[in-house]
Amino acid sequence: MKKLVLITAAAALMAGSAIAQQSNGENAATGMVGGAATGAILGGPIGAGVGAVVGATLGGALTPPPPEVVTYVEQQPAPASVVVQQPVVVGRPIPEAVMLTPIPENPRYAYAVVNEQRVIVEPQSRTVVQVIN
């Protein structure tokens, strides 16, 4: 049972950031495939099943912002960058200390500059949905 929990956690971490940055609307399917592959490597057939479920869930949950949101964030003057100790990763929340700037045309998203990177965030959960380099 312990091994299954570890496989699930590893699959979620590995699949989540890779699938969340795709913007073709097939995130759940891609997440399922990526999660199954990761799970199979880590835990054989049982790991593949668990990885597929976790990957599909993460892929469906993290929808990349529409292109107009990305363009808006890229064109705005950069607010002061906040330095945080943890890495900024798609699918993970950013610290409460980071001030978010709402996107007027699309209130489902906000942005901030963290560790010299612009990040697009879902403001309710503070979850990073895209990092702009």
Side-chain angles (χ1 to χ4, degrees):
M1 183 65 172
K2 220 180 218 186
K3 186 175 182 181
L4 187 59
V5 172
L6 290 173
I7 291 168
T8 303
L13 291 174
M14 295 174 124
S17 62
I19 59 175
Q21 293 194 13
Q22 294 195 8
S23 60
N24 60 3
E26 298 175 359
N27 291 344
T30 304
M32 187 182 330
V33 172
T38 302
I41 291 168
L42 296 174
I46 294 173
V50 171
V53 171
V54 171
T57 301
L58 284 173
L62 290 175
T63 304
E68 57 270 10
V69 169
V70 176
T71 301
Y72 177 85
V73 172
E74 290 174 333
Q75 292 176 349
Q76 294 305 302
S81 181
V82 177
V83 177
V84 297
Q85 297 302 314
Q86 64 195 41
V88 178
V89 179
V90 172
R92 292 226 176 130
I94 59 173
E96 292 288 328
V98 176
M99 184 172 190
L100 301 178
T101 303
I103 297 175
E105 292 80 29
N106 197 331
R108 289 183 49 207
Y109 301 99
Y111 71 98
V113 178
V114 181
N115 296 344
E116 301 295 326
Q117 297 178 311
R118 291 178 191 241
V119 294
I120 300 175
V121 177
E122 289 180 341
Q124 293 80 16
S125 65
R126 302 185 66 84
T127 302
V128 175
V129 294
Q130 186 166 349
V131 178
I132 301 173
N133 295 326

